Structure formats: C-alpha cells, structure tokens
Amino acid sequence: MKYFTIALLIILVCLLALLTYTKFKQSLVSTPISTVQNMTQKYSQNPSNRPVISQGKVPDISLNLSSQFVVHIFASALNSPRDLEWTPAGTLIVSSPSSNEVVALPDANHDGVADSKKVVLSGGHHLHGLAFYNNKLFVADVDRVVRYNWDENKLSATLDKVLFTLPANSDHNNHTIIFDKTGKMYVSVGSTCNICHEDSNLSGTVLVSDQNGASPQVFARGLRNAPFLQFNPTTQELWATEMGRDNLGDNMPSDEINIVKQGKDYGWPNCYGNKIHDTDFDKSTTDSCSATESPTYEIPAHSAPLGLAFINSSQFPENWQGDLLVAYHGSWNRSTPTGYKVTHLKVNGNTITSVEDFLTGFLPTNTKSGPTSAYGRPVDVTFDKNGSLFLSDDKAGNIYIIQKKP
C-alpha cells in the first residue's frame, strides 16, 4: 500500500507538470507578435543608453559636418526661432521675437522629432530671452523682464509678475537671461545704437538681480551687444558673445568672446577690440582704454556670434569636453560675407587656443550677398540630457538636432 501511494503521487506530479507546460506553450502561441517584439526590445536595450538617432528629415541645405556626426531636422516651419531653453522636465521651448511667441516642442516618443508645436506665450514686446528657475519661466522682451508660473503638464505659462523694466530699444534688443547656481539672474542689455553715448546707464551692459527682480544693478558695462550668455561649468565664470561696432570697414573691429566680470568695463563706445581707442567716434586725446578689459578671444569682424555652449556630452570626443561651440549668425555689412556657421573653440582654462569650423554650408560659395543668399543663419546652441546638440536657425525656420553616428 505504501508503494502504491508513492507511485500515485509521482503520477499526479507528472500530470500537473504536463498540464502547466501545455498552458505555457499555448500562451506563447497566442501572444501577439507585436507584444513579443516589445518585450524583446525592452530587455535588449543598449546598456549605454545611447539616444535613438533622430527620425527627422535630413536638411535640404547641404550642411558640412564631421563624418562622426549626423544632422536632422527636429522642428521646421517655425517663425524665426531664436533662444532655446529646456523646461524642468526636458521639453524644448524656443522664442520667436519676430512673431512675439514662445513655442513648446514636445518629443514624447523620444524619436528626435518634435511631436507638435504649442504656443506657450504670444503677444508681448519682442519676446526673446528664456530661462527657468525654481519652476518659474523668466522671459526678457524688448523693455522688461517678466516671470511666469509654469505648468509642465499643460505646457502653459501664466503671468506671475513683471520684475523690472529695461530701456526702450529698437536696435540691439534681443535680451537674454541666465541664472547662476545661487539664484542670481543675469540679463544682457544691448546698446540702443551702433555707436553713441547712452541716455540710460543700463544700456550696453549685463545686469544682475535676484529671482524676484529686486534692485537690478549693472554687473558689467561697455558691452555694445552681448546677445548670449553662458556660465563655464568648470570655473563658474560668465562668458558672453559680443558684437563690435559697424562702419569701420570689412575687417575691423573684431567681434569677441568675453569673460564678463563684476564691475569691469569692456570699452564700448570709446574703445573696441583689445583696448583700441575709437578716434572715429571719440575725439578726446585722453587715454580712456587702458583701464578697459581685453577680449578673451577676438572673432573676425562682422561674424555676428550669438549662442554659445560648453561641451559636456558623451557624444562628442573626449578631448572636446569643456570646449565651446559658438553659432556665427553671419555678416550683413561686409563686401565678402563671413560667419554663417558653427565653430568649435578649444578652451584651456580662461584661454581659447584655437578655432575650427564645426558646421558649415549655410552660405553659398562665392556669394557677395550674405543674408539674401544664405540658406540659413545659426542662432542658439544647447545640449539635451543625452548629449544631443540642438541648433536654431532663424532664416530657414528650423531647429536641427546633431548626434554622434551609431
């Protein structure tokens, strides 16, 4: 009887195992192929988390780029896209001063192409500079700095407070905003003219304030037009692009990269370049330039440098980390056009030791007309959290995404 019971238990266990296997096999057969594929993709992802190469169109422009990178269109048919900024949750937004709009460009499926264009703000006064701090959106338009409450779920902004006003300006009026790690806000305020003595001591400066806009003060002066600002992540110093004055010929004065320091004077309007007295404007014989700051780096005249970004991206070569990428918007006032490209500037501490072209092709060869003939004009550069580079083009109306080849 004992052996009979044991044998019966063994038979029952075998029957149970056979039944379980049959049901498991049937479940595999009945599982949709798409589900199996999704399961396979989920568990066979690249362990390096390398971002998916953009599914966007290849630009119609024949852009020239290093063979290790590819460029696609992230968003198109935009109205003069300028300043790029990431929301706290990582959605790209862009300003369009010509249409007085700020537009959100979500990419929910992470395929490197904007899913839609959602107008976040419209109206205002030449909307340009964008920055986020403590989940608030800060916007600089032509004559004021405004703070908005930000709703990430709705991708919407509602007015919180006008922080302070800026001098009326119909010339260099593309103000930008940036915050340091302590919450201080810096705002670039271009000059109201090519060359003049300003009525307001706030023009031709970079201002500093707290996040509430209390008592904005001049941080640095003598900056004719410092259109974009960026903090060096290594030194925490404030760097800026700078445009020299017009009407002194094709090759002078230089445009500049400056390290903007508190209380310093960068020369304009009486001086340009490396402490050169502008005797065409200032007839005084007094040496007013020796006490001004020299540029960190001089860029060929009329290149019109705009956005700048320090490289911190696993998609870029190791020996490029900490270097600068700078967008040259391009000349409008030179017999042979210059600029119209993105450059790679080698950074060693506070010194730029060399420069090379990174992205070209925005301008036809042998053209004598810059803005008219150009296919595009680079404006701002920024990296996302995966190290992909984004570039706005306010002539072609595109935002490009540049990535390392797989």
Side-chain angles (χ1 to χ4, degrees), residues 144-163:
R144 60 184 184 171
V145 176
V146 186
R147 187 173 66 196
Y148 293 87
N149 298 309
W150 178 249
D151 188 323
E152 189 73 43
N153 292 326
K154 296 180 180 178
L155 294 178
S156 65
T158 55
L159 179 64
D160 177 21
K161 180 183 178 183
V162 176
L163 300 185

Side-chain angles (χ1 to χ4, degrees), residues 254-257 273-274 276 295-300:
S254 61
D255 291 335
E256 302 172 0
I257 302 288
N274 191 4
I276 300 173
T296 299
Y297 184 74
E298 295 185 79
I299 296 170

Side-chain angles (χ1 to χ4, degrees), residues 6 16 42 67 82 98 104-105 108 130 140 143 150 159 188-189 247-248 273 276 278 289 296 307 309 327 404:
I6 294 173
L16 181 61
K42 180 178 179 181
S67 60
R82 296 274 303 184
S98 61
L105 301 165
L130 307 172
D143 56 7
W150 178 249
L159 179 64
S188 65
V189 184
N247 304 325
L248 289 180
I276 300 173
D278 189 350
C289 299
T296 299
K404 183 180 180 180

Side-chain angles (χ1 to χ4, degrees), residues 166-168 189 192 197-205 218 221 268:
L166 299 171
V189 184
T192 63
H197 292 297
E198 296 282 7
D199 293 332
S200 170
N201 67 347
L202 302 184
S203 296
T205 69
V218 172
R221 66 179 65 254
W268 185 87

Side-chain angles (χ1 to χ4, degrees), residues 240 242 244 251-258 272-276 293-303 305 328 345 351-355:
E242 167 76 348
N251 300 311
M252 60 185 299
S254 61
D255 291 335
E256 302 172 0
I257 302 288
N258 285 303
Y272 59 76
N274 191 4
K275 304 177 184 287
I276 300 173
E293 293 296 298
S294 297
T296 299
Y297 184 74
E298 295 185 79
I299 296 170
H302 311 300
S303 295
Y328 292 4
L345 282 68
T351 302
I352 294 173
T353 58
S354 64
V355 61

Side-chain angles (χ1 to χ4, degrees), residues 74-75 78 80-85 92-95 105 128 228 306-307 327-329 341-342 359 362 376-382 389-402:
F74 176 77
L78 297 166
S80 301
R82 296 274 303 184
D83 194 14
L84 300 172
E85 182 64 33
L92 186 65
I93 65 173
V94 62
S95 64
L105 301 165
H128 189 268
F228 281 85
L306 293 180
Y328 292 4
H329 198 228
K341 60 185 177 181
V342 179
L359 179 65
F362 293 98
R377 302 188 78 181
V379 180
D380 195 16
V381 283
T382 186
L389 178 68
F390 291 74
L391 168 68
S392 57
D393 176 344
D394 67 353
K395 179 166 185 183
N398 294 330
I399 294 175
Y400 308 102
I401 178 172
I402 300 167

Side-chain angles (χ1 to χ4, degrees), residues 200-220:
S200 170
N201 67 347
L202 302 184
S203 296
T205 69
V206 169
L207 303 180
V208 64
S209 172
D210 67 9
Q211 61 181 295
N212 296 310
S215 303
Q217 303 291 322
V218 172
F219 181 75

Side-chain angles (χ1 to χ4, degrees), residues 173-192:
N173 51 17
N174 291 319
H175 309 307
T176 54
I177 306 174
I178 194 169
F179 283 86
D180 68 14
K181 289 185 174 181
T182 70
K184 289 182 180 179
M185 176 173 58
Y186 300 80
V187 182
S188 65
V189 184
S191 63
T192 63

